[in-house]
Amino acid sequence: MRAIALIAAILFALASPAAADDVSAAQDVIRAQEQAFGRDDAASAYSYAAPAIRQLFPQAEIFMSMVQSQYAPVYRHKSFEFGEARSEGDRIAQRVHIVDANGEAWEALYTLERQADGSLKITGCSLLKAGQAV
């Protein structure tokens, strides 16, 4: 029984870095898009969007306009800090704590999915004012 527990512990330890690597890669993608928004670089920000998002917003300028009007705290903010993340298979959910340009706190939940080419793309972002009920 101890041998099984030891093997399970070793396998878990070996699996953790992969999950941590996935979360780190997801955070890199989110941060890169956030920085592109800060530079008003629509093409770069759009490049991190998953195909389903790109179908909804078929041009980078349309995507950027949507972000500016519907995701103002993501587009312009005072702080942008990563919170809890979960990884399951090819999908990652990453919480981000945001303080907007007016000093109000927000919670964003980004979802990402690994693509056929191995890259991670953002599949969605839900935004909720901190303290607000779902």
Side-chain angles (χ1 to χ4, degrees), residues 3 18 38 41 50 57 68 88 98 103 116 119:
D41 183 349
F57 306 98
Q68 291 168 342
E88 185 174 315
I98 300 170
S119 67

Side-chain angles (χ1 to χ4, degrees), residues 43-60 63 121-122:
S44 182
Y46 188 64
S47 73
Y48 299 104
I53 302 296
R54 294 169 73 103
Q55 283 183 332
L56 291 171
F57 306 98
Q59 296 175 345
F63 173 73
K121 298 291 183 181
I122 298 170

Side-chain angles (χ1 to χ4, degrees), residues 71-121:
Y71 292 86
V74 172
Y75 177 65
R76 292 290 188 261
H77 48 267
K78 291 181 179 178
S79 70
F80 192 94
E81 301 295 328
F82 292 113
E84 178 185 8
R86 297 199 185 261
S87 175
E88 185 174 315
D90 288 338
R91 295 190 171 130
I92 298 167
Q94 173 68 60
R95 290 196 182 280
V96 179
H97 309 289
I98 300 170
V99 176
D100 71 14
N102 298 320
E104 296 200 47
W106 295 81
E107 291 290 325
L109 177 63
Y110 279 83
T111 55
L112 298 91
E113 189 169 10
R114 188 154 314 278
Q115 305 299 298
D117 67 0
S119 67
L120 281 170
K121 298 291 183 181

Side-chain angles (χ1 to χ4, degrees), residues 10-24:
I10 291 170
L11 290 176
F12 180 76
L14 292 175
S16 294
D21 288 348
D22 287 346
V23 169
S24 178

